[in-house]
């Protein structure tokens, strides 16, 4: 069964709400990358412990991806979306009162659990509420908030971390979440009530089918590799620019504006292109982007000046952004809407496990090599090459169609 899409005005409102919700989630995720410099000083943390704080969110987030998708498919995406925003708002606020490393790790982990249901349920809403030829663009608009936050958070951090402090910022972010939750409760369309067992998705059966599909495992690996690069860079570039390039927090904030703008443009442009071009051609473009990504990572970290570093970083973000939007497009366009939440949750588990593993692994490498980032850079380059293979192995011929699933 395929649900009818919403009316045009309702779809516009829904796009705005999804954008705002994802923007808030990314506000916290990017903010911690800058705040951790001050958190590390307050709690006397090592590089490895700093990496653990950055990774603890992703562990909870990754563990909740598949359950979040299953719950969205079984009980309705709106319900999961609301619970997700409420829970993450509570633990964003509680970040402000964490006084020890242990408490901080628990709070960040539970914040990840809360936010973990958002993307699978949002993806299901996109799949059921929008025509197929609009879905990549809608996803790109929602995900573009990540680029906007990447641009704004450095400025916000530079202005507020040195004035009101990191604890006050997280408390304010928690209050913003309460507002978003209210807007979702009031304006997100209610889940369709399924009257019979025949209408109700057979979750156990579809999960088994998804787990047996090579298509899905290629996506899981693709998600893991591209998000390993993405979150490896996002979580450690502020610290890298401070330690290895000698920039202060204000300078870091300003130089990161340009990559943020590029990410926004790339996300919106990629959504338009992916909706216009056949997925077979898009697959080749995505593999080429992943291949070039490895080379420009090498150039970026070996740049002789900050100007060159930022130039190469812009290219890296453009290439990575295309791949990050292409991967969910395979699900939005090839998996029936009834099961989009479960499929997205499965694929995104790979991406968020990468978010958990990579920051800690980079922290360990930096400590092991006496502050050098060289080993971490080579690791990210190798991961980019693995991403190429995962994209090329995505089969577009033998998928379960809406008739066959």
């Amino acid at each position: 069964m395929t649900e009818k899409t919403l009316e045009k005005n309702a779809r516009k409102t829904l796009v705005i709400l999804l954008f705002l919700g994802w923007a808030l989630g990314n506000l916290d995720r990017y903010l911690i990358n800058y705040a951790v410099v001050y958190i590390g000083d307050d709690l006397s943390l090592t590089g490895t412990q700093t990496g653990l704080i950055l990774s603890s969110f992703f562990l909870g987030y990754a563990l909740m991806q598949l359950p979040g998708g299953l719950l969205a498919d079984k009980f309705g995406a709106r319900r999961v979306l609301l619970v997700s925003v409420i829970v993450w708002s509570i633990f964003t606020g509680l970040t402000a009162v964490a006084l020890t490393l242990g408490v901080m790790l628990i709070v960040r982990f539970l914040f990840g659990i809360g936010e973990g249901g958002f993307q699978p349920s949002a993806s299901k809403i996109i799949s059921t509420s929008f025509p197929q030829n609009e879905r990549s663009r809608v996803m790109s608009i929602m995900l573009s908030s990540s680029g906007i936050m990447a641009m704004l958070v450095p400025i916000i951090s530079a202005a507020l971390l040195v004035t009101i402090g990191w604890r006050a910022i997280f408390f304010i972010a928690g209050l913003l979440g309460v507002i978003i939750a209210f807007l979702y409760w009031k304006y997100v369309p209610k889940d369709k009530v399924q009257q019979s067992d025949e209408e109700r998705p057979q979750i156990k059966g579809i999960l088994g089918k998804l787990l047996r599909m090579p298509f899905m495992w290629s996506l899981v690996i693709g998600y893991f590799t591209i998000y390993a690069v993405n979150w490896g860079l996002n979580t450690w570039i502020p610290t890298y620019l401070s330690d290895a390039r000698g920039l202060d927090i204000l300078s870091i904030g300003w130089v990161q504006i340009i990559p943020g703008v590029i990410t926004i443009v790339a996300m919106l442009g990629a959504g338009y292109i992916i909706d216009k071009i056949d997925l077979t051609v898009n697959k080749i473009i995505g593999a080429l982007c992943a291949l070039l990504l490895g080379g420009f990572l090498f150039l970026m970290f070996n740049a002789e000046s900050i100007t060159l570093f930022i130039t190469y970083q812009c290219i890296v973000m453009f290439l990575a952004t295309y791949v990050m939007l292409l991967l969910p497009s395979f699900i939005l366009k090839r998996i029936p809407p009834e099961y989009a939440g479960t499929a997205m949750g499965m694929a995104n588990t790979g991406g968020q496990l990468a978010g958990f593993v990579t920051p800690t692994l980079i922290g360990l490498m930096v400590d092991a090599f006496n502050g050098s980032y060289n080993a971490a850079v080579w690791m990210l380059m190798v991961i980019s090459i693995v991403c190429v293979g995962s994209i090329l192995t995505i089969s577009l011929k033998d998928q379960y169609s809406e008739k066959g699933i």
Side-chain angles (χ1 to χ4, degrees):
M1 180 194 70
T2 302
E3 297 181 42
K4 294 181 179 179
T5 58
L6 295 176
E7 296 294 331
K8 188 173 182 179
N9 288 338
R11 296 204 304 268
K12 288 181 179 179
T13 300
L14 193 53
V15 170
I16 294 171
L17 292 174
L18 291 174
F19 175 89
L20 291 175
W22 198 239
L24 181 63
N26 279 282
L27 170 65
D28 178 276
R29 280 195 267 179
Y30 283 108
L31 180 61
I32 193 70
N33 301 332
Y34 293 86
V36 78
V37 177
Y38 293 87
I39 294 171
D41 290 339
D42 287 353
L43 303 183
S44 301
L45 304 179
T46 66
T48 300
Q49 290 171 331
T50 298
L52 284 172
I53 288 179
L54 296 173
S55 292
S56 57
F57 159 82
F58 288 102
L59 177 60
Y61 192 74
L63 291 176
M64 193 58 191
Q65 288 301 297
L66 191 52
L70 287 165
L71 291 170
D73 283 338
K74 189 171 181 64
F75 298 109
R78 180 180 181 270
R79 294 182 180 92
V80 176
L81 211 61
L82 270 171
V83 172
S84 179
V85 175
I86 291 169
V87 173
W88 99 45
S89 300
I90 291 171
F91 287 102
T92 297
L94 288 177
T95 301
V97 297
L99 300 177
T100 66
L101 174 63
V103 173
M104 180 67 75
L105 292 176
I106 293 171
V107 168
R108 299 304 297 175
F109 171 78
L110 293 175
F111 168 77
I113 291 288
E115 192 171 329
F118 187 94
Q119 188 164 348
S121 55
S123 299
K124 180 176 178 64
I125 286 175
I126 292 172
S127 187
T128 57
S129 303
F130 295 86
Q132 189 180 91
N133 64 353
E134 294 181 9
R135 293 173 189 170
S136 292
R137 274 174 286 177
V138 173
M139 179 66 78
S140 73
I141 292 170
M142 184 182 84
L143 296 183
S144 69
S145 63
S146 176
I148 292 175
M149 289 299 104
M151 179 178 64
L152 294 180
V153 167
I155 303 172
I156 295 171
S157 300
L160 298 182
L161 284 172
V162 296
T163 54
I164 65 174
W166 62 271
R167 295 185 186 277
I169 296 175
F170 282 108
F171 180 76
I172 293 170
L175 292 179
L176 291 174
V178 174
I179 297 173
I180 295 295
F182 172 77
L183 293 175
Y184 278 19
W185 172 76
K186 188 170 180 62
Y187 294 109
V188 173
K190 292 183 178 180
D191 300 309
K192 182 178 179 180
V193 178
Q194 292 155 334
Q195 302 294 337
S196 66
D197 291 338
E198 288 75 18
E199 288 183 311
R200 195 170 290 112
Q202 299 301 307
I203 298 302
K204 186 175 181 180
I206 188 58
L207 180 58
K209 289 180 180 180
L210 290 173
L211 290 171
R212 292 193 296 271
M213 291 170 63
F215 169 84
M216 288 302 304
W217 287 107
S218 293
L219 285 175
V220 169
I221 296 170
Y223 264 77
F224 182 92
T225 51
I226 196 62
Y227 277 94
V229 174
N230 180 64
W231 286 113
L233 294 176
N234 284 330
T235 53
W236 277 98
I237 276 185
T239 305
Y240 168 82
L241 291 175
S242 175
D243 294 347
R245 300 283 179 160
L247 299 184
D248 57 49
I249 193 71
L250 182 61
S251 299
I252 293 171
W254 283 109
V255 299
Q256 288 301 293
I257 291 176
I258 300 175
V261 172
I262 294 299
T263 300
I264 298 166
V265 173
M267 185 65 69
L268 296 175
Y272 179 82
I273 293 170
I274 292 169
D275 272 339
K276 292 293 184 181
I277 299 177
D278 185 78
L279 280 179
T280 303
V281 178
N282 267 308
K283 187 171 82 167
I284 302 301
I285 296 173
L288 180 61
C289 286
L291 181 63
L292 292 172
L293 179 62
F296 280 102
L297 281 169
F298 176 83
L299 294 173
M300 182 174 83
F301 282 98
N302 287 277
E304 295 182 357
S305 66
I306 292 296
T307 300
L308 274 177
F309 180 93
I310 298 302
T311 300
Y312 290 132
Q313 185 187 359
C314 288
I315 298 172
V316 164
M317 295 311 298
F318 180 88
L319 297 169
T321 296
Y322 195 95
V323 177
M324 285 190 289
L325 184 59
L326 175 62
L327 293 176
S329 296
F330 287 114
I331 293 174
L332 294 175
K333 294 175 182 291
R334 291 287 177 167
I335 296 294
E338 294 90 334
Y339 310 109
T342 304
M344 191 65 74
M346 177 179 170
N348 206 30
T349 297
Q352 305 316 316
L353 283 175
F356 167 67
V357 171
T358 311
T360 298
L361 191 55
I362 291 176
L364 289 168
M365 288 181 169
V366 171
D367 283 346
F369 290 93
N370 299 316
S372 172
Y373 286 79
N374 290 338
V377 173
W378 280 103
M379 177 189 71
L380 295 179
M381 291 169 59
V382 170
I383 289 173
S384 299
I385 302 304
V386 176
C387 186
V388 176
S390 70
I391 295 172
L392 291 176
T393 59
I394 295 174
S395 173
L396 300 177
K397 294 181 179 181
D398 299 319
Q399 305 317 311
Y400 291 97
S401 65
E402 290 190 331
K403 294 181 179 180
I405 200 161

